[in-house]
Amino acid sequence: MADIGFIGLGHMGAPMARNLLKAGHRLRAYDALPAAAANLAEAGAAVASGIADAARASQIVITMLPSGKESRDVYLGAQGLIAMAAKGTLLIDCSTIDVATARDIHGAAAKAGLDFLDAPVSGGVAGAAAAALTFMVGGNENSFRQGEPIFKAMGKAAIHTGGPGNGQAAKICNNLILGISMIGVCEAFVLAERLGLPAATLFDVASRASGQCWSLTSYCPVPGPVPSSPANNAYRPGFSAAMMLKDLKLAGEAAAASGASTPLGAAATSLYERFVSGGKGGVDFSGIIEWLRKVA
């Protein structure tokens, strides 16, 4: 069992940390909101007083943060992890951030004699709670092998995607597919409603035909066909519209920087911007179907 520091105990971080405790690891947890760490203490974690304390005596430090800005602060700040962690510590950032920031942290960690992995996740809050996340991991092979048992305690799969920043590259490409496909599935159900085709019938056809995809068969945006989907729980977020918009914007920024053409990605970003600006950022991203009905 490992001594692990965990920083960032929000909707994703808290259940991930709990699964590490369930697996028998020793945890020092920190969050900018003291109540979040106090809740985890009830499950057996030690509460750290700050970033340096979370890293103290930890073989591994995991972060789950809102954006690249927070990752830069936590890793690259004067009192950040790279300055405070002992040489040989494995640092794992599970946040979804821009590729450039991830690669900057990789470079700074290497200079300090630390191993770093960018390891964003797919699976949402439900996947975090069920230890069913998929980790997309960028970094060197030896560091990935060292982190594998830790990933297994929190998820169902860990895929080594290559060198520094490639985990983030895989995540934003994956969520570009997801954001576009969800809008396509929602549009099809809205059209079916207007044409008098029952949603259950469209699901039965499309899930067995060429229209089938994860947004349909695992996360159907209408109530009924997939009982576990947020559509059956008033679109309570497993993955919020605001988070989808964030990831689509990251994909757009990466596309612009690399010269890639992503016109459907740009269209999806525009639609989610309109949805979120209407006060729906906290709704599950599949809830955009209700907005599309009104727009239609």
Side-chain angles (χ1 to χ4, degrees), residues 124 129 138 141 151 171 202 211 229 239 277:
E141 181 74 23
F151 296 132
K171 173 63 185 290
L202 174 59
S229 79
F239 185 60
S277 67

Side-chain angles (χ1 to χ4, degrees), residues 193-218:
E193 290 167 7
R194 295 300 178 96
L195 297 175
L197 179 68
T201 302
L202 174 59
F203 180 86
D204 286 344
V205 171
S207 63
R208 293 173 171 83
S210 55
Q212 74 90 16
C213 61
W214 188 90
S215 292
L216 174 72
T217 57
S218 296

Side-chain angles (χ1 to χ4, degrees), residues 252 254-262:
S258 63
S261 176
T262 56

Side-chain angles (χ1 to χ4, degrees), residues 7-187:
I7 300 171
L9 304 169
H11 293 304
M12 294 291 293
M16 291 166 66
R18 287 179 182 274
N19 284 326
L20 290 171
L21 288 168
K22 289 176 185 177
H25 297 290
R26 296 172 293 274
L27 220 63
R28 295 184 68 79
Y30 173 73
D31 192 275
L33 296 174
N39 287 338
L40 202 64
E42 296 175 3
V47 176
S49 59
I51 293 170
D53 191 33
R56 180 169 58 87
S58 294
Q59 300 161 285
I60 298 166
V61 180
I62 299 169
T63 55
M64 183 52 119
L65 303 165
S67 72
K69 179 187 181 301
E70 287 81 7
S71 289
R72 281 189 178 274
D73 291 344
V74 167
Y75 281 94
L76 303 178
Q79 300 295 313
L81 284 172
I82 289 174
M84 306 305 295
K87 285 190 176 181
T89 303
L90 174 61
L91 306 175
I92 303 174
D93 188 18
C94 293
S95 320
T96 297
I97 62 175
D98 58 287
V99 175
T101 292
R103 288 177 175 162
D104 286 347
I105 296 172
H106 271 280
K111 288 180 182 178
L114 300 165
D115 293 316
F116 177 73
L117 296 171
D118 59 287
V121 304
S122 179
V125 175
L133 296 171
T134 294
F135 292 84
M136 294 151 269
V137 189
N140 69 59
E141 181 74 23
N142 289 338
S143 298
F144 174 71
R145 294 302 172 200
Q146 185 183 350
E148 268 193 303
I150 306 304
F151 296 132
K152 287 180 180 177
M154 299 184 287
K156 63 181 180 181
I159 302 164
H160 187 218
T161 57
N166 275 21
Q168 298 297 342
K171 173 63 185 290
I172 62 175
C173 289
N174 178 78
N175 278 19
L176 179 64
I177 295 170
L178 178 60
I180 293 168
S181 66
M182 179 54 76
I183 289 173
V185 170
C186 289
E187 288 184 350

